[in-house]
Structure formats: structure tokens, C-alpha cells
């Protein structure tokens, strides 16, 4: 492995960023063991590290697996990858739907396996049963709601998915050694208005909030998103565990003195609260370790004055299909022109949502809505100014998502999904890299043909830009955002 590649992987190891888990392993000569990049053991010195792309290669080199981080559990490295994929999907579904009262049987049904099989593989992977994991997710959500909202205790119990107040009280007292009402008395809250609740999501400072807002404002789809008075607002359309379509709105503000984002949620969205919060965390990149990113990208400031700013975040997305369509519409045209096309699509095919907030009128059309359009797709999208080729690409994306043939949700395997994306007619390298960056949250995507990237690094040639970007790995997505912001 080349020296610059070792530097790249050491930076990822130092950050302990879960998005790199399974992409490489590190053998530590001083201990004779090999670890995953997320291992919480003391960081080894660079000279003691050797990096491998597979666990097998590390073992061939004479290293034994770490008992703390368990390399056999890394995504894609077990003898049967399908089992690990099943466990990961189960974990995501449990976390996102813990507030809906979903049962283990229902989760297993969604995964296409028996609940007995899911319990077995989940327990083997995490050393807790799915029921125990689900209970913890529900309790933590309830604790958050008791602390940060003025919802009644029974409403908290229902929103957290307990089904009954008695069950909630019993489990809360057992786990936390206090009654829910006792925690509520210790945590006075400000009364919410308009049937909304307010929660706080923490982040690691610094956080360039104004940069993030400016980025989102420039690309906000009229009718769906808006930025008002230093906050981001948007319409929401999610599907509950009972397959009920839920509509509403959300507002995200900033409280820098507490290092939190404030999330004001329409009361109608309580049945899908955990899904909503997961998407907000992704959209605003709350998993980021800004110090680890800046340590590598500070060198950008030798290329241009203040080209890299500490605390720059990678703008994610709220809805993967919405982001993918936005990327297709943005091919070879300006940000403003793509925004105009997206607004027309929303007005023609989106679902009206009564929010009472100026500028928020529609939910973005779902893949199912696009597929349901009768006749050739060109006939529906062509009059909006969308070319026939792009209309057909949007339809193929919708079909692939509905058939679950493609996954560009946060945390998806980028190399695998990029190949699938590139196989869709009308999706080239720029579009695929953009989707990997924003929809999947991949930290090391780099759309080297992007107009903004080339403009920010002019007069360098494409070859020179690619060589320069190699020094920014494994944070090339963050480097790209810094380049865009510099314009």
C-alpha cells in the first residue's frame, strides 16, 4: 500500500467514523492484533500500523482479530454477507420505527425472514435480543420526550411505542430507578405552540451553521423547503409502520451556546418521530467529527486563502429519491435552473400539504407516484421542461427504488450502489458521485467533473485536480463542499 494511502486510512482510523467500517482493517505490530476502523481501543502510533482491505489479508500477515471491536462483525466481511446485511437492516428498522409500536414479528416480516431467525442472528451480532434493543430505543426516545417537550406522560408512552402507560411506567422504573413523572419534574420545559413539539439534537462543535443554511437555501425546492429567519423548514411525507401516510412539517434551528440543533416537529408527525429524527441527523451531518476532517483538509488553505473552514459539514438529504431526482435535474445546468425544474415537478405531481407556513405547500412526489403516472413518462414531465432522457431516468430510478433493487440511503455501501446507479441510462459519474455524497453520506465522494469544483481550482487541469484531491482523502466530500462554498 502506498504511503499516501496509509495516511488516508490512518486519518479515518483516528476519526473512528463508522462510515469506513468494513472498508479496511489495521494490523497493529505492537500488539499483534488487527482492528476495524471504529475500534475504541487506544489509537496506535502510525509507525505501528499496517492497513489491509480484507480481514483475510490481515490474518495472512499473522495478525489475530481484536476481541474488542470483533472484525468478524464488520459489514461485508463475515462468511455470509447476507446475514450481516440482515442484522444491519434489522437494527436500522428497530431504531427508526421504535416509536411506532412495531413488533419483532413485523420487522422480521419486512426483512423476509422468520422472527426466530432474526432473533438468533441479531443476538449473535449484538449480544442483546431484538426485544431488548427495541426496549432501549423506546426508553431513550421517551426520556428525550420527557426532558425536552411538554407532552403528557401518556402521550410520551404512546409516541415511544409502548402501547400502554402501565407497561411504560414499569419498564422506566426498572431501568432508570425513577418514575417518568419524577424525571419530568426535574426537567421543566417551555410550552409548545401550534400542536408542535421541540427536541434538541447535539453535535460536535464547531458547526458552520450559516454555511449549511446558505447551501440548503440556494438549492431549496419551492413548495417543499424554505429558509426563514435563520432556520430550515420543510414539508414531510413519511409512512408509518401501519403503512399510513403521514404528512406535516418540521423546522430546524440552531442553539450554538448549547451545541444543539432545535427540531420543531408538527404534532401530526409523532407516529413517525424516530424516522424523522434519523433523517434530520443525516441531513445536517450530526455524525461528523469536524476536528478529524479539518486535520486533513487544513492543507486546502495552501491552495487558496480560507478555502477550508473548520466545522464545515456535508449537507445530506431528507429523502433519497428527492435527492436523486434533484441530481438528475441538475445535470449540466445551473443550480437555479435545476431548482426551477424541481419546483415545476412538485407543483404538477407532488401532494398538497396544509402547513400554515408560507412557502411550504407540497410534499415531493414519491417513487410510487411517479410509477403510477399513466402513459409515457415524457408526456407528464416533458411539458415541465424536463427532457425525455431525464424523464426516463427519473422513472427508472423510481422503479429501482420501489423494487428495492437499489439503496442510496444513508450508510449504504457506496461502491456497490455506485455500480448500480451507473448502469441506469442517463446517470454518469457526476450524478452518481453527487448521490453518493449527499444521499448516502459517503465522506470520500468526489465529482471531479463538477463545474464548481473546476472553477474553484482553476486554472488546474482535470489531471491536476484529481491528483490534488488524492491528498484530501478520506474526506473528499467535505473538500468538495468547501470548494463550492468558496464560490
Amino acid at each position: 500500500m502506498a504511503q499516501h494511502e496509509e495516511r488516508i486510512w490512518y486519518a479515518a482510523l483516528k476519526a473512528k467514523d463508522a462510515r469506513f467500517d468494513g472498508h479496511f482493517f489495521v494490523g497493529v505490530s505492537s500488539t499483534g492484533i488487527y482492528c476495524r476502523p471504529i475500534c475504541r481501543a487506544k489509537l496506535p502510533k502510525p509507525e505501528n500500523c499496517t492497513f489491509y482491505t480484507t480481514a483475510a489479508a490481515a490474518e495472512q500477515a499473522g495478525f489475530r482479530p481484536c476481541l474488542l471491536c470483533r472484525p468478524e462483525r464488520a459489514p461485508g466481511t463475515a462468511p455470509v454477507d447476507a446475514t450481516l446485511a440482515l442484522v444491519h437492516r434489522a437494527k436500522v428498522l428497530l431504531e427508526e420505527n421504535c416509536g411506532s409500536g412495531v413488533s419483532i414479528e413485523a420487522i422480521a416480516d419486512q426483512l423476509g425472514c422468520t422472527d426466530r431467525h432474526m432473533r438468533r442472528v441479531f443476538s449473535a451480532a449484538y449480544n442483546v435480543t431484538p426485544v431488548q434493543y427495541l426496549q432501549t430505543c423506546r426508553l431513550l426516545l421517551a426520556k428525550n420526550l420527557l426532558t425536552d417537550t411538554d407532552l403528557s406522560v401518556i402521550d410520551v408512552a404512546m409516541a415511544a411505542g409502548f402501547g400502554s402507560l402501565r407497561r411504560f411506567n414499569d419498564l422506566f422504573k426498572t431501568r432508570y430507578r425513577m418514575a417518568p413523572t419524577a424525571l419530568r419534574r426535574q426537567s421543566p420545559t417551555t410550552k409548545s405552540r401550534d400542536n408542535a413539539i421541540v427536541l434538541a439534537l447535539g453535535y460536535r462543535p464547531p458547526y458552520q451553521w450559516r454555511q449549511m443554511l446558505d447551501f440548503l437555501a440556494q438549492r431549496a425546492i419551492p413548495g417543499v423547503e424554505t429558509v426563514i429567519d435563520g432556520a430550515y423548514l420543510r414539508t414531510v411525507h413519511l409512512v408509518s409502520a401501519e403503512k399510513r401516510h403521514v404528512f406535516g412539517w418540521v423546522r430546524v434551528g440552531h442553539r450554538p451556546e448549547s451545541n444543539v440543533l432545535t427540531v420543531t416537529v408538527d404534532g401530526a408527525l409523532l407516529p413517525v418521530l424516530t424516522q424523522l429524527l434519523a433523517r434530520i441527523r443525516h441531513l445536517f451531518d450530526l455524525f461528523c467529527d469536524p476536528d478529524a476532517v479539518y486535520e486533513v483538509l487544513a492543507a486546502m488553505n495552501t491552495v487558496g486563502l480560507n478555502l477550508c473552514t473548520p466545522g464545515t459539514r456535508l449537507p445530506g438529504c431528507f429523502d433519497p429519491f428527492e435527492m436523486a431526482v434533484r441530481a438528475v435535474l441538475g445535470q449540466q445546468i445551473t443550480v437555479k435552473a435545476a431548482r426551477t425544474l424541481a419546483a415545476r415537478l412538485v407543483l404538477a405531481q407532488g401532494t398538497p400539504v396544509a402547513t400554515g407556513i408560507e412557502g411550504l405547500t407540497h410534499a415531493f412526489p414519491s417513487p410510487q407516484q411517479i410509477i403510477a403516472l399513466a402513459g409515457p413518462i415524457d408526456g407528464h414531465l416533458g411539458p415541465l421542461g424536463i427532457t425525455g432522457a431525464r424523464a426516463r431516468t427519473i422513472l427508472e430510478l423510481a422503479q429501482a427504488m420501489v423494487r428495492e433493487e437499489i439503496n442510496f440511503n444513508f450508510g449504504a455501501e457506496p461502491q456497490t450502489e455506485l455500480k448500480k446507479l451507473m448502469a441506469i441510462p442517463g446517470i454518469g459519474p457526476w450524478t452518481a458521485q453527487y448521490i453518493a455524497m449527499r444521499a448516502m453520506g459517503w465522506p470520500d465522494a468526489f465529482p471531479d467533473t463538477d463545474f464548481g469544483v473546476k472553477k474553484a481550482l482553476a486554472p488546474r487541469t482535470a489531471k491536476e485536480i484529481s491528483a490534488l484531491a488524492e491528498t484530501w482523502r478520506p474526506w473528499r466530500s467535505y473538500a468538495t463542499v468547501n470548494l463550492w462554498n468558496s464560490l
Side-chain angles (χ1 to χ4, degrees):
M1 182 175 286
Q3 187 174 3
H4 81 281
E5 289 181 307
E6 291 185 353
R7 178 187 59 77
I8 291 164
W9 295 131
Y10 189 79
L13 173 68
K14 190 174 182 179
K16 301 189 186 301
D17 193 317
R19 290 173 289 188
F20 292 100
D21 193 18
H23 290 277
F24 71 89
F25 299 85
V26 56
V28 183
S29 59
S30 57
T31 61
I33 66 172
Y34 73 96
C35 300
R36 297 157 65 179
I38 61 167
C39 188
R40 292 296 168 183
K42 183 180 178 181
L43 181 70
K45 296 178 179 178
E47 58 267 26
N48 292 336
C49 296
T50 306
F51 296 92
Y52 303 92
T53 54
T54 66
E59 293 190 5
Q60 277 295 110
F63 293 97
R64 63 184 186 277
C66 175
L67 297 179
L68 180 62
C69 67
R70 304 285 297 276
E72 72 274 12
R73 293 181 180 173
T77 60
V80 184
D81 285 349
T83 298
L84 280 178
L86 174 69
V87 170
H88 176 73
R89 289 175 61 205
K91 179 175 177 289
V92 169
L93 286 172
L94 287 169
E95 290 173 352
E96 291 193 0
N97 297 291
C98 70
S100 64
V102 65
S103 67
I104 299 301
E105 291 74 16
I107 292 289
D109 188 57
Q110 281 185 261
L111 295 170
C113 67
T114 65
D115 58 305
R116 179 181 179 183
H117 178 65
M118 192 187 87
R119 286 196 299 269
R120 183 174 60 81
V121 298
F122 195 95
S123 298
Y126 295 118
N127 293 321
V128 294
T129 67
V131 169
Q132 290 169 330
Y133 193 85
L134 185 62
Q135 286 177 339
T136 298
C137 290
R138 286 173 173 166
L139 283 170
L140 290 175
L141 174 61
K143 185 174 180 292
N144 199 354
L145 293 171
L146 286 168
T147 303
D148 293 341
T149 78
D150 59 2
L151 288 173
S152 68
V153 174
I154 190 168
D155 283 343
V156 167
M158 297 302 108
F162 282 96
S164 78
L165 182 59
R166 179 179 178 181
R167 188 180 307 159
F168 170 54
N169 281 328
D170 289 346
L171 190 59
F172 198 94
K173 289 175 183 177
T174 300
R175 291 284 186 91
Y176 298 146
R177 296 180 175 84
M178 68 166 65
T181 50
L183 179 65
R184 167 57 55 80
R185 285 194 296 270
Q186 295 175 17
S187 309
T189 59
T190 303
K191 289 291 180 180
S192 303
R193 294 180 296 172
D194 302 325
N195 194 35
I197 61 172
V198 181
L199 296 167
L201 298 178
Y203 61 79
R204 299 180 184 93
Y207 193 113
Q208 293 295 336
W209 175 250
R210 177 48 59 185
Q211 274 189 357
M212 174 67 82
L213 271 195
D214 288 346
F215 185 95
L216 295 176
Q218 290 170 11
R219 294 158 180 80
I221 301 172
V224 176
E225 308 167 281
T226 188
V227 172
I228 304 173
D229 296 332
Y232 170 84
L233 299 89
R234 68 165 292 130
T235 57
V236 174
H237 171 208
L238 293 171
V239 181
S240 71
E242 298 78 25
K243 304 300 181 184
R244 186 167 64 88
H245 291 263
V246 182
F247 295 88
W249 56 269
V250 64
R251 178 188 184 276
V252 183
H254 187 214
R255 205 160 68 214
E257 70 279 4
S258 303
N259 296 327
V260 298
L261 300 187
T262 56
V263 184
T264 306
V265 182
D266 183 354
L269 298 175
L270 274 179
V272 291
L273 183 60
T274 44
Q275 290 186 56
L276 172 71
L277 295 178
R279 295 183 183 222
I280 293 297
R281 288 188 179 98
H282 169 35
L283 173 59
F284 289 94
D285 196 18
L286 300 188
F287 304 102
C288 175
D289 181 346
D291 292 336
V293 174
Y294 187 69
E295 185 176 349
V296 172
L297 297 188
M300 293 179 71
N301 293 328
T302 63
V303 177
L305 185 64
N306 297 324
L307 198 58
C308 178
T309 307
T312 296
R313 289 311 207 268
L314 173 59
C317 76
F318 187 85
D319 180 273
F321 180 66
E322 176 186 304
M323 179 53 61
V325 171
R326 180 68 173 72
V328 171
L329 294 178
Q331 294 169 347
Q332 299 178 332
I333 61 174
T334 65
V335 170
K336 184 178 180 180
R339 189 170 176 249
T340 298
L341 291 177
R344 293 174 186 168
L345 176 61
V346 166
L347 193 60
Q349 305 299 338
T351 303
V353 180
T355 65
I357 299 171
E358 185 178 357
L360 298 186
T361 59
H362 289 74
F364 195 86
S366 66
Q368 291 81 359
Q369 286 174 291
I370 296 296
I371 291 174
L373 296 175
I377 190 68
D378 314 38
H380 295 279
L381 305 192
L384 308 178
I386 300 173
T387 66
R390 288 178 187 161
R392 290 187 288 275
T393 299
I394 290 170
L395 178 61
E396 288 215 29
L397 276 170
Q399 292 170 337
M401 286 198 70
V402 170
R403 292 195 295 257
E404 298 184 352
E405 296 172 348
I406 196 166
N407 174 21
F408 32 71
N409 289 308
F410 178 70
E413 170 55 50
Q415 282 79 12
T416 301
E417 303 307 322
L418 282 172
K419 290 178 183 176
K420 296 178 186 177
L421 279 168
M422 296 279 284
I424 296 176
I427 293 186
W430 179 87
T431 310
Q433 290 291 322
Y434 190 84
I435 291 173
M437 179 190 302
R438 297 201 57 197
M440 300 180 201
W442 178 234
D444 203 29
F446 188 66
D448 54 356
T449 61
D450 181 80
F451 175 78
V453 168
K454 292 191 290 186
K455 183 177 180 181
L457 295 174
R460 292 171 179 82
T461 65
K463 187 175 181 180
E464 289 171 335
I465 290 174
S466 294
L468 181 60
E470 281 296 305
T471 67
W472 300 332
R473 296 184 65 190
W475 311 112
R476 291 182 300 174
S477 293
Y478 291 88
T480 301
V481 174
N482 274 292
L483 292 173
W484 286 339
N485 288 339
S486 73
L487 301 175

